[in-house]
Every structure is written in C-alpha cells, then in structure tokens.
Amino acid sequence: MKKLVLSTVLTATTMANAGQITALNSNIELSGGLTTGYFYSTNTGTSNHDNFKVSNFIISLSSQTKDRGIGFTTMFGSILLPTLYDGGITDNKAILNQNFGVLAGYLTYLPFENVSVDAGLLTTNIGYEIATSYANPNITYGSVFNAQPFIYPGVRITYSYKDFKFYGEVNKDKGYLNGSSSLQTSGAYAVGTLGSLYGINYALSYYDYTAYKNLIDLVLSKSLNQNLDIALNVDYQWLDNTAKQQGHDKYGYGIAFYIIPKFENISLPVRVEYIKDGSKGKESGIYNSVASGYSFTITPTFKPSKNTFIRVETSYFKTDNKVFQDKSGNQKDSKLSGAVELGLLF
C-alpha cells in the first residue's frame, strides 16, 4: 500500500531508481517521471471528445531525516488529473498548479525517537490512489478518489511503534467540489493509523472539514504472491448541517476494489467501484449527485524496462442520474472512456 510505505511521498514507486545528488551539506535523492497520453471519452458535452496530454511531469527532491535533524521532500512540475467524471478531456481539481510549479513540499523534523513532524504543503494519507498517476495501477482516477482530500498546507505529527504509525494533523484544506475550491470551509483536521496487521497493510483515517463534511476512510491491501496484488478502499462521508441542502440526504459512501495480476513485464490492473450519493432525488452531492453509480476500469500495462511503461485503458461509468451530456446537450447516464499512455520514471 503506497500510503503505508511512503505515506507522504508522492513518487513512491520511483524511489528504488532514484539518483543521488551530493549537495554542500547533505545527500539529496532525485526521482520523478514524465507521462504523455491520448485520451478519448464519450458524453463530454460541447468540449472535445479526445485530446493529447502531458499528464505528469514531476521532479521530486528529498533528503533523509537523521539524528533528530531536519529533512525535506519537495515535488515540482505539473499534474493533470484525468478522472472517471471527465475521461481525461477536461482538467479537474482547480487547487493544482496546472502549469510548471511547486506541487508539494514540506520539512520533516525528528524531535524524539519514533516521532516526526511534517510541516508545509502536505500530501494526504487518505485513500489508495495518489496524485501522480504513474504510481497508480490505472491511468484515470476513480470516483472514490475524486471525493477525497488531496494536497494542502498544514502540520502533521506521526508516532511510529513497530509496524504501526499513528498521526494527527491540522491543515488549511479548503476542499473542492466539481473542480472548484470555492467552498466555505477554512481548513480541516485528521487523525489516523497506518500499519500492517496479520500480513495485511491497512490505513484507517478520520478527516473533518470545517463547515463542510467529514469522512472515515479505510484502505486494505495485500500481495497474495509475486503475481497478484489486491486492495480495497472504503469511504463513508457525511455533510455538516451547515453544508446540507434542505430536503436532501447528508451522507455518501464509496467502495473501490483493485486486483492487479502481474506476469513478468506485463500486468492487468482492474478497478471496480460502487458509489452511493443518497436517495434519488435527495442526493447529498458528495459524489457529484449521481445518486448511485458503478464503474469498471481495466488497464493492460507493458513495461519494456524497469523504468518505462506503455499502458492502454478502457473504463465504463454508469450512474443512476443523468449527470453527463452529449455534444447536443442531451443528458446521459453513462460514460465510456479510453486512454493510451507512455511513461518514463527517473
């Protein structure tokens, strides 16, 4: 589970190939990646139904924290976020710098043994999928990810004991809805634990937005053998009374299941999701007022070398409400999307 292994480092899958830079006072690790792709999707309204994109260009620099000192992690570049809702045609989550710039960066201080303090622009501990798509099994991000927190300024304290971590944080996450960060919330706090129990990696978190919503998130993952990984991400969310619409429900939940068969340099990641946004006609809006929906995504992946990949994806998203539009403006309740992506990890 990526959030367990390096819970605050977005480029977890590239660290094994990271290079070393010797600076004046410390050794710095360099990692990152570049991905380009072609995206196609039906029912995208009057916008284009296909597009070529540089979906990730990330350079990450980090330095290990030792002897009660201070280390750092920073990530700069650009990220575009293709989701099941837009099929990769439009750019979602306006909180991101879609041009080249700093995406995340924080200092890590070790005041005591087994205690660390991260301060700066943090990456969340919530959920199975993470921001750099090349570190995820699928190209597009799921509907469960779309309703989770992401990157925000704040402070996180983590206590480690054997195979377990316990954390608490306060931050200035303003949230987002349909790609906009214009919600009234002024911040959030979170508590949680990550670790390994009976051979299963887990992450359990509670996240509370001010004057917006709350969520409980559980991630379970396990490698059954060298050829098969599985994971489960369950999200339950509910709105504060100040954010709830009169006559509408205040809750929503999502379930995402991942199965990743691997055969030497070929893998076949599959993601299946189900989301519930309240009763039909009384949707909470947490999952874009779909009432309920399900998705299926399959992403055959070929790795010509250990740090390159070629992958092809097909996804189908079906909703109870007609939340999509065709090019003539007619409301639709499904979306079929496809993508081809090339990736190079530094």
mmCIF file with all atom_site columns, all heavy atoms in Angstrom, residues 221-242:
data_model
loop_
_atom_site.group_PDB
_atom_site.id
_atom_site.type_symbol
_atom_site.label_atom_id
_atom_site.label_alt_id
_atom_site.label_comp_id
_atom_site.label_asym_id
_atom_site.label_entity_id
_atom_site.label_seq_id
_atom_site.pdbx_PDB_ins_code
_atom_site.Cartn_x
_atom_site.Cartn_y
_atom_site.Cartn_z
_atom_site.occupancy
_atom_site.B_iso_or_equiv
_atom_site.pdbx_formal_charge
_atom_site.auth_seq_id
_atom_site.auth_comp_id
_atom_site.auth_asym_id
_atom_site.auth_atom_id
_atom_site.pdbx_PDB_model_num
ATOM 1   N N   . SER A 1 221 ? -4.734  -3.631  1.827   1.00 0.00 ? 221 SER A N   1
ATOM 2   C CA  . SER A 1 221 ? -4.051  -4.133  0.640   1.00 0.00 ? 221 SER A CA  1
ATOM 3   C C   . SER A 1 221 ? -3.127  -5.286  1.016   1.00 0.00 ? 221 SER A C   1
ATOM 4   O O   . SER A 1 221 ? -2.653  -5.373  2.156   1.00 0.00 ? 221 SER A O   1
ATOM 5   C CB  . SER A 1 221 ? -3.245  -3.022  -0.051  1.00 0.00 ? 221 SER A CB  1
ATOM 6   O OG  . SER A 1 221 ? -2.186  -2.596  0.757   1.00 0.00 ? 221 SER A OG  1
ATOM 7   N N   . LYS A 1 222 ? -2.868  -6.140  0.037   1.00 0.00 ? 222 LYS A N   1
ATOM 8   C CA  . LYS A 1 222 ? -2.018  -7.293  0.296   1.00 0.00 ? 222 LYS A CA  1
ATOM 9   C C   . LYS A 1 222 ? -1.490  -7.841  -1.026  1.00 0.00 ? 222 LYS A C   1
ATOM 10  O O   . LYS A 1 222 ? -2.218  -7.859  -2.030  1.00 0.00 ? 222 LYS A O   1
ATOM 11  C CB  . LYS A 1 222 ? -2.806  -8.394  1.020   1.00 0.00 ? 222 LYS A CB  1
ATOM 12  C CG  . LYS A 1 222 ? -1.970  -9.623  1.403   1.00 0.00 ? 222 LYS A CG  1
ATOM 13  C CD  . LYS A 1 222 ? -2.785  -10.621 2.173   1.00 0.00 ? 222 LYS A CD  1
ATOM 14  C CE  . LYS A 1 222 ? -1.972  -11.862 2.527   1.00 0.00 ? 222 LYS A CE  1
ATOM 15  N NZ  . LYS A 1 222 ? -0.796  -11.543 3.379   1.00 0.00 ? 222 LYS A NZ  1
ATOM 16  N N   . SER A 1 223 ? -0.250  -8.285  -1.014  1.00 0.00 ? 223 SER A N   1
ATOM 17  C CA  . SER A 1 223 ? 0.299   -9.043  -2.138  1.00 0.00 ? 223 SER A CA  1
ATOM 18  C C   . SER A 1 223 ? 0.115   -10.521 -1.825  1.00 0.00 ? 223 SER A C   1
ATOM 19  O O   . SER A 1 223 ? 0.772   -11.057 -0.921  1.00 0.00 ? 223 SER A O   1
ATOM 20  C CB  . SER A 1 223 ? 1.790   -8.719  -2.331  1.00 0.00 ? 223 SER A CB  1
ATOM 21  O OG  . SER A 1 223 ? 1.966   -7.378  -2.736  1.00 0.00 ? 223 SER A OG  1
ATOM 22  N N   . LEU A 1 224 ? -0.799  -11.166 -2.543  1.00 0.00 ? 224 LEU A N   1
ATOM 23  C CA  . LEU A 1 224 ? -1.062  -12.582 -2.281  1.00 0.00 ? 224 LEU A CA  1
ATOM 24  C C   . LEU A 1 224 ? 0.131   -13.438 -2.664  1.00 0.00 ? 224 LEU A C   1
ATOM 25  O O   . LEU A 1 224 ? 0.425   -14.445 -2.028  1.00 0.00 ? 224 LEU A O   1
ATOM 26  C CB  . LEU A 1 224 ? -2.312  -13.030 -3.028  1.00 0.00 ? 224 LEU A CB  1
ATOM 27  C CG  . LEU A 1 224 ? -3.607  -12.308 -2.619  1.00 0.00 ? 224 LEU A CG  1
ATOM 28  C CD1 . LEU A 1 224 ? -4.789  -12.858 -3.405  1.00 0.00 ? 224 LEU A CD1 1
ATOM 29  C CD2 . LEU A 1 224 ? -3.859  -12.457 -1.118  1.00 0.00 ? 224 LEU A CD2 1
ATOM 30  N N   . ASN A 1 225 ? 0.800   -13.040 -3.729  1.00 0.00 ? 225 ASN A N   1
ATOM 31  C CA  . ASN A 1 225 ? 2.059   -13.654 -4.144  1.00 0.00 ? 225 ASN A CA  1
ATOM 32  C C   . ASN A 1 225 ? 2.738   -12.666 -5.084  1.00 0.00 ? 225 ASN A C   1
ATOM 33  O O   . ASN A 1 225 ? 2.253   -11.544 -5.261  1.00 0.00 ? 225 ASN A O   1
ATOM 34  C CB  . ASN A 1 225 ? 1.839   -15.022 -4.804  1.00 0.00 ? 225 ASN A CB  1
ATOM 35  C CG  . ASN A 1 225 ? 0.822   -14.957 -5.944  1.00 0.00 ? 225 ASN A CG  1
ATOM 36  O OD1 . ASN A 1 225 ? 0.976   -14.162 -6.882  1.00 0.00 ? 225 ASN A OD1 1
ATOM 37  N ND2 . ASN A 1 225 ? -0.217  -15.782 -5.876  1.00 0.00 ? 225 ASN A ND2 1
ATOM 38  N N   . GLN A 1 226 ? 3.854   -13.044 -5.693  1.00 0.00 ? 226 GLN A N   1
ATOM 39  C CA  . GLN A 1 226 ? 4.578   -12.108 -6.545  1.00 0.00 ? 226 GLN A CA  1
ATOM 40  C C   . GLN A 1 226 ? 3.819   -11.764 -7.819  1.00 0.00 ? 226 GLN A C   1
ATOM 41  O O   . GLN A 1 226 ? 4.198   -10.824 -8.533  1.00 0.00 ? 226 GLN A O   1
ATOM 42  C CB  . GLN A 1 226 ? 5.940   -12.688 -6.916  1.00 0.00 ? 226 GLN A CB  1
ATOM 43  C CG  . GLN A 1 226 ? 5.876   -13.972 -7.721  1.00 0.00 ? 226 GLN A CG  1
ATOM 44  C CD  . GLN A 1 226 ? 7.267   -14.497 -8.066  1.00 0.00 ? 226 GLN A CD  1
ATOM 45  O OE1 . GLN A 1 226 ? 8.275   -13.895 -7.695  1.00 0.00 ? 226 GLN A OE1 1
ATOM 46  N NE2 . GLN A 1 226 ? 7.319   -15.610 -8.769  1.00 0.00 ? 226 GLN A NE2 1
ATOM 47  N N   . ASN A 1 227 ? 2.725   -12.490 -8.097  1.00 0.00 ? 227 ASN A N   1
ATOM 48  C CA  . ASN A 1 227 ? 1.971   -12.264 -9.335  1.00 0.00 ? 227 ASN A CA  1
ATOM 49  C C   . ASN A 1 227 ? 0.582   -11.666 -9.117  1.00 0.00 ? 227 ASN A C   1
ATOM 50  O O   . ASN A 1 227 ? -0.163  -11.502 -10.083 1.00 0.00 ? 227 ASN A O   1
ATOM 51  C CB  . ASN A 1 227 ? 1.819   -13.578 -10.111 1.00 0.00 ? 227 ASN A CB  1
ATOM 52  C CG  . ASN A 1 227 ? 3.153   -14.129 -10.581 1.00 0.00 ? 227 ASN A CG  1
ATOM 53  O OD1 . ASN A 1 227 ? 4.019   -13.376 -11.015 1.00 0.00 ? 227 ASN A OD1 1
ATOM 54  N ND2 . ASN A 1 227 ? 3.329   -15.434 -10.473 1.00 0.00 ? 227 ASN A ND2 1
ATOM 55  N N   . LEU A 1 228 ? 0.224   -11.351 -7.860  1.00 0.00 ? 228 LEU A N   1
ATOM 56  C CA  . LEU A 1 228 ? -1.133  -10.857 -7.633  1.00 0.00 ? 228 LEU A CA  1
ATOM 57  C C   . LEU A 1 228 ? -1.197  -9.941  -6.421  1.00 0.00 ? 228 LEU A C   1
ATOM 58  O O   . LEU A 1 228 ? -0.868  -10.338 -5.302  1.00 0.00 ? 228 LEU A O   1
ATOM 59  C CB  . LEU A 1 228 ? -2.100  -12.031 -7.430  1.00 0.00 ? 228 LEU A CB  1
ATOM 60  C CG  . LEU A 1 228 ? -3.583  -11.663 -7.272  1.00 0.00 ? 228 LEU A CG  1
ATOM 61  C CD1 . LEU A 1 228 ? -4.108  -10.965 -8.523  1.00 0.00 ? 228 LEU A CD1 1
ATOM 62  C CD2 . LEU A 1 228 ? -4.407  -12.909 -6.959  1.00 0.00 ? 228 LEU A CD2 1
ATOM 63  N N   . ASP A 1 229 ? -1.627  -8.677  -6.653  1.00 0.00 ? 229 ASP A N   1
ATOM 64  C CA  . ASP A 1 229 ? -1.891  -7.706  -5.595  1.00 0.00 ? 229 ASP A CA  1
ATOM 65  C C   . ASP A 1 229 ? -3.383  -7.400  -5.563  1.00 0.00 ? 229 ASP A C   1
ATOM 66  O O   . ASP A 1 229 ? -4.034  -7.313  -6.623  1.00 0.00 ? 229 ASP A O   1
ATOM 67  C CB  . ASP A 1 229 ? -1.129  -6.404  -5.834  1.00 0.00 ? 229 ASP A CB  1
ATOM 68  C CG  . ASP A 1 229 ? 0.376   -6.581  -5.790  1.00 0.00 ? 229 ASP A CG  1
ATOM 69  O OD1 . ASP A 1 229 ? 0.833   -7.574  -5.196  1.00 0.00 ? 229 ASP A OD1 1
ATOM 70  O OD2 . ASP A 1 229 ? 1.086   -5.737  -6.374  1.00 0.00 ? 229 ASP A OD2 1
ATOM 71  N N   . ILE A 1 230 ? -3.926  -7.193  -4.371  1.00 0.00 ? 230 ILE A N   1
ATOM 72  C CA  . ILE A 1 230 ? -5.314  -6.792  -4.235  1.00 0.00 ? 230 ILE A CA  1
ATOM 73  C C   . ILE A 1 230 ? -5.404  -5.651  -3.225  1.00 0.00 ? 230 ILE A C   1
ATOM 74  O O   . ILE A 1 230 ? -4.553  -5.523  -2.341  1.00 0.00 ? 230 ILE A O   1
ATOM 75  C CB  . ILE A 1 230 ? -6.241  -7.950  -3.808  1.00 0.00 ? 230 ILE A CB  1
ATOM 76  C CG1 . ILE A 1 230 ? -5.787  -8.519  -2.457  1.00 0.00 ? 230 ILE A CG1 1
ATOM 77  C CG2 . ILE A 1 230 ? -6.295  -9.027  -4.870  1.00 0.00 ? 230 ILE A CG2 1
ATOM 78  C CD1 . ILE A 1 230 ? -6.745  -9.559  -1.894  1.00 0.00 ? 230 ILE A CD1 1
ATOM 79  N N   . ALA A 1 231 ? -6.436  -4.816  -3.358  1.00 0.00 ? 231 ALA A N   1
ATOM 80  C CA  . ALA A 1 231 ? -6.631  -3.700  -2.429  1.00 0.00 ? 231 ALA A CA  1
ATOM 81  C C   . ALA A 1 231 ? -8.107  -3.332  -2.375  1.00 0.00 ? 231 ALA A C   1
ATOM 82  O O   . ALA A 1 231 ? -8.854  -3.555  -3.337  1.00 0.00 ? 231 ALA A O   1
ATOM 83  C CB  . ALA A 1 231 ? -5.795  -2.493  -2.842  1.00 0.00 ? 231 ALA A CB  1
ATOM 84  N N   . LEU A 1 232 ? -8.506  -2.768  -1.246  1.00 0.00 ? 232 LEU A N   1
ATOM 85  C CA  . LEU A 1 232 ? -9.872  -2.314  -1.034  1.00 0.00 ? 232 LEU A CA  1
ATOM 86  C C   . LEU A 1 232 ? -9.830  -0.946  -0.379  1.00 0.00 ? 232 LEU A C   1
ATOM 87  O O   . LEU A 1 232 ? -9.111  -0.740  0.603   1.00 0.00 ? 232 LEU A O   1
ATOM 88  C CB  . LEU A 1 232 ? -10.630 -3.300  -0.136  1.00 0.00 ? 232 LEU A CB  1
ATOM 89  C CG  . LEU A 1 232 ? -12.079 -2.943  0.207   1.00 0.00 ? 232 LEU A CG  1
ATOM 90  C CD1 . LEU A 1 232 ? -12.967 -3.081  -1.032  1.00 0.00 ? 232 LEU A CD1 1
ATOM 91  C CD2 . LEU A 1 232 ? -12.594 -3.834  1.331   1.00 0.00 ? 232 LEU A CD2 1
ATOM 92  N N   . ASN A 1 233 ? -10.595 0.008   -0.925  1.00 0.00 ? 233 ASN A N   1
ATOM 93  C CA  . ASN A 1 233 ? -10.709 1.350   -0.353  1.00 0.00 ? 233 ASN A CA  1
ATOM 94  C C   . ASN A 1 233 ? -12.184 1.643   -0.096  1.00 0.00 ? 233 ASN A C   1
ATOM 95  O O   . ASN A 1 233 ? -12.988 1.670   -1.026  1.00 0.00 ? 233 ASN A O   1
ATOM 96  C CB  . ASN A 1 233 ? -10.109 2.381   -1.311  1.00 0.00 ? 233 ASN A CB  1
ATOM 97  C CG  . ASN A 1 233 ? -9.968  3.775   -0.707  1.00 0.00 ? 233 ASN A CG  1
ATOM 98  O OD1 . ASN A 1 233 ? -9.527  4.698   -1.358  1.00 0.00 ? 233 ASN A OD1 1
ATOM 99  N ND2 . ASN A 1 233 ? -10.336 3.951   0.560   1.00 0.00 ? 233 ASN A ND2 1
ATOM 100 N N   . VAL A 1 234 ? -12.540 1.830   1.182   1.00 0.00 ? 234 VAL A N   1
ATOM 101 C CA  . VAL A 1 234 ? -13.924 2.115   1.578   1.00 0.00 ? 234 VAL A CA  1
ATOM 102 C C   . VAL A 1 234 ? -13.976 3.501   2.196   1.00 0.00 ? 234 VAL A C   1
ATOM 103 O O   . VAL A 1 234 ? -13.199 3.829   3.091   1.00 0.00 ? 234 VAL A O   1
ATOM 104 C CB  . VAL A 1 234 ? -14.452 1.067   2.579   1.00 0.00 ? 234 VAL A CB  1
ATOM 105 C CG1 . VAL A 1 234 ? -15.896 1.377   2.964   1.00 0.00 ? 234 VAL A CG1 1
ATOM 106 C CG2 . VAL A 1 234 ? -14.352 -0.336  1.993   1.00 0.00 ? 234 VAL A CG2 1
ATOM 107 N N   . ASP A 1 235 ? -14.895 4.313   1.733   1.00 0.00 ? 235 ASP A N   1
ATOM 108 C CA  . ASP A 1 235 ? -15.046 5.703   2.147   1.00 0.00 ? 235 ASP A CA  1
ATOM 109 C C   . ASP A 1 235 ? -16.482 5.941   2.601   1.00 0.00 ? 235 ASP A C   1
ATOM 110 O O   . ASP A 1 235 ? -17.420 5.671   1.835   1.00 0.00 ? 235 ASP A O   1
ATOM 111 C CB  . ASP A 1 235 ? -14.748 6.603   0.942   1.00 0.00 ? 235 ASP A CB  1
ATOM 112 C CG  . ASP A 1 235 ? -13.797 7.740   1.277   1.00 0.00 ? 235 ASP A CG  1
ATOM 113 O OD1 . ASP A 1 235 ? -13.124 7.668   2.307   1.00 0.00 ? 235 ASP A OD1 1
ATOM 114 O OD2 . ASP A 1 235 ? -13.739 8.687   0.491   1.00 0.00 ? 235 ASP A OD2 1
ATOM 115 N N   . TYR A 1 236 ? -16.686 6.456   3.813   1.00 0.00 ? 236 TYR A N   1
ATOM 116 C CA  . TYR A 1 236 ? -18.015 6.892   4.254   1.00 0.00 ? 236 TYR A CA  1
ATOM 117 C C   . TYR A 1 236 ? -17.927 8.368   4.602   1.00 0.00 ? 236 TYR A C   1
ATOM 118 O O   . TYR A 1 236 ? -17.063 8.772   5.388   1.00 0.00 ? 236 TYR A O   1
ATOM 119 C CB  . TYR A 1 236 ? -18.499 6.097   5.462   1.00 0.00 ? 236 TYR A CB  1
ATOM 120 C CG  . TYR A 1 236 ? -19.884 6.515   5.922   1.00 0.00 ? 236 TYR A CG  1
ATOM 121 C CD1 . TYR A 1 236 ? -21.013 6.061   5.246   1.00 0.00 ? 236 TYR A CD1 1
ATOM 122 C CD2 . TYR A 1 236 ? -20.052 7.389   6.990   1.00 0.00 ? 236 TYR A CD2 1
ATOM 123 C CE1 . TYR A 1 236 ? -22.284 6.460   5.646   1.00 0.00 ? 236 TYR A CE1 1
ATOM 124 C CE2 . TYR A 1 236 ? -21.312 7.793   7.395   1.00 0.00 ? 236 TYR A CE2 1
ATOM 125 C CZ  . TYR A 1 236 ? -22.425 7.328   6.724   1.00 0.00 ? 236 TYR A CZ  1
ATOM 126 O OH  . TYR A 1 236 ? -23.680 7.722   7.105   1.00 0.00 ? 236 TYR A OH  1
ATOM 127 N N   . GLN A 1 237 ? -18.813 9.183   4.017   1.00 0.00 ? 237 GLN A N   1
ATOM 128 C CA  . GLN A 1 237 ? -18.751 10.624  4.205   1.00 0.00 ? 237 GLN A CA  1
ATOM 129 C C   . GLN A 1 237 ? -20.131 11.169  4.581   1.00 0.00 ? 237 GLN A C   1
ATOM 130 O O   . GLN A 1 237 ? -21.155 10.632  4.175   1.00 0.00 ? 237 GLN A O   1
ATOM 131 C CB  . GLN A 1 237 ? -18.275 11.308  2.921   1.00 0.00 ? 237 GLN A CB  1
ATOM 132 C CG  . GLN A 1 237 ? -16.960 10.754  2.380   1.00 0.00 ? 237 GLN A CG  1
ATOM 133 C CD  . GLN A 1 237 ? -16.310 11.679  1.371   1.00 0.00 ? 237 GLN A CD  1
ATOM 134 O OE1 . GLN A 1 237 ? -16.536 12.888  1.362   1.00 0.00 ? 237 GLN A OE1 1
ATOM 135 N NE2 . GLN A 1 237 ? -15.463 11.120  0.523   1.00 0.00 ? 237 GLN A NE2 1
ATOM 136 N N   . TRP A 1 238 ? -20.131 12.276  5.347   1.00 0.00 ? 238 TRP A N   1
ATOM 137 C CA  . TRP A 1 238 ? -21.386 12.927  5.670   1.00 0.00 ? 238 TRP A CA  1
ATOM 138 C C   . TRP A 1 238 ? -21.160 14.428  5.789   1.00 0.00 ? 238 TRP A C   1
ATOM 139 O O   . TRP A 1 238 ? -20.099 14.888  6.207   1.00 0.00 ? 238 TRP A O   1
ATOM 140 C CB  . TRP A 1 238 ? -22.010 12.354  6.934   1.00 0.00 ? 238 TRP A CB  1
ATOM 141 C CG  . TRP A 1 238 ? -21.241 12.576  8.201   1.00 0.00 ? 238 TRP A CG  1
ATOM 142 C CD1 . TRP A 1 238 ? -21.443 13.545  9.148   1.00 0.00 ? 238 TRP A CD1 1
ATOM 143 C CD2 . TRP A 1 238 ? -20.128 11.795  8.682   1.00 0.00 ? 238 TRP A CD2 1
ATOM 144 N NE1 . TRP A 1 238 ? -20.544 13.418  10.173  1.00 0.00 ? 238 TRP A NE1 1
ATOM 145 C CE2 . TRP A 1 238 ? -19.733 12.354  9.925   1.00 0.00 ? 238 TRP A CE2 1
ATOM 146 C CE3 . TRP A 1 238 ? -19.448 10.679  8.191   1.00 0.00 ? 238 TRP A CE3 1
ATOM 147 C CZ2 . TRP A 1 238 ? -18.679 11.834  10.662  1.00 0.00 ? 238 TRP A CZ2 1
ATOM 148 C CZ3 . TRP A 1 238 ? -18.390 10.173  8.923   1.00 0.00 ? 238 TRP A CZ3 1
ATOM 149 C CH2 . TRP A 1 238 ? -18.022 10.733  10.142  1.00 0.00 ? 238 TRP A CH2 1
ATOM 150 N N   . LEU A 1 239 ? -22.162 15.192  5.397   1.00 0.00 ? 239 LEU A N   1
ATOM 151 C CA  . LEU A 1 239 ? -22.083 16.645  5.396   1.00 0.00 ? 239 LEU A CA  1
ATOM 152 C C   . LEU A 1 239 ? -22.392 17.220  6.765   1.00 0.00 ? 239 LEU A C   1
ATOM 153 O O   . LEU A 1 239 ? -23.193 16.658  7.527   1.00 0.00 ? 239 LEU A O   1
ATOM 154 C CB  . LEU A 1 239 ? -23.078 17.230  4.376   1.00 0.00 ? 239 LEU A CB  1
ATOM 155 C CG  . LEU A 1 239 ? -22.874 16.858  2.910   1.00 0.00 ? 239 LEU A CG  1
ATOM 156 C CD1 . LEU A 1 239 ? -24.057 17.367  2.081   1.00 0.00 ? 239 LEU A CD1 1
ATOM 157 C CD2 . LEU A 1 239 ? -21.568 17.418  2.371   1.00 0.00 ? 239 LEU A CD2 1
ATOM 158 N N   . ASP A 1 240 ? -21.748 18.345  7.093   1.00 0.00 ? 240 ASP A N   1
ATOM 159 C CA  . ASP A 1 240 ? -22.171 19.119  8.249   1.00 0.00 ? 240 ASP A CA  1
ATOM 160 C C   . ASP A 1 240 ? -23.543 19.716  7.972   1.00 0.00 ? 240 ASP A C   1
ATOM 161 O O   . ASP A 1 240 ? -23.937 19.913  6.810   1.00 0.00 ? 240 ASP A O   1
ATOM 162 C CB  . ASP A 1 240 ? -21.174 20.243  8.536   1.00 0.00 ? 240 ASP A CB  1
ATOM 163 C CG  . ASP A 1 240 ? -19.837 19.714  9.038   1.00 0.00 ? 240 ASP A CG  1
ATOM 164 O OD1 . ASP A 1 240 ? -19.790 18.550  9.496   1.00 0.00 ? 240 ASP A OD1 1
ATOM 165 O OD2 . ASP A 1 240 ? -18.846 20.462  8.964   1.00 0.00 ? 240 ASP A OD2 1
ATOM 166 N N   . ASN A 1 241 ? -24.276 20.027  9.036   1.00 0.00 ? 241 ASN A N   1
ATOM 167 C CA  . ASN A 1 241 ? -25.616 20.591  8.857   1.00 0.00 ? 241 ASN A CA  1
ATOM 168 C C   . ASN A 1 241 ? -25.590 21.906  8.086   1.00 0.00 ? 241 ASN A C   1
ATOM 169 O O   . ASN A 1 241 ? -26.516 22.237  7.344   1.00 0.00 ? 241 ASN A O   1
ATOM 170 C CB  . ASN A 1 241 ? -26.280 20.798  10.221  1.00 0.00 ? 241 ASN A CB  1
ATOM 171 C CG  . ASN A 1 241 ? -26.643 19.486  10.882  1.00 0.00 ? 241 ASN A CG  1
ATOM 172 O OD1 . ASN A 1 241 ? -26.905 18.486  10.204  1.00 0.00 ? 241 ASN A OD1 1
ATOM 173 N ND2 . ASN A 1 241 ? -26.668 19.466  12.206  1.00 0.00 ? 241 ASN A ND2 1
ATOM 174 N N   . THR A 1 242 ? -24.504 22.660  8.239   1.00 0.00 ? 242 THR A N   1
ATOM 175 C CA  . THR A 1 242 ? -24.402 23.941  7.538   1.00 0.00 ? 242 THR A CA  1
ATOM 176 C C   . THR A 1 242 ? -24.201 23.760  6.035   1.00 0.00 ? 242 THR A C   1
ATOM 177 O O   . THR A 1 242 ? -24.444 24.681  5.259   1.00 0.00 ? 242 THR A O   1
ATOM 178 C CB  . THR A 1 242 ? -23.227 24.756  8.097   1.00 0.00 ? 242 THR A CB  1
ATOM 179 O OG1 . THR A 1 242 ? -22.037 23.949  8.061   1.00 0.00 ? 242 THR A OG1 1
ATOM 180 C CG2 . THR A 1 242 ? -23.501 25.171  9.531   1.00 0.00 ? 242 THR A CG2 1
#
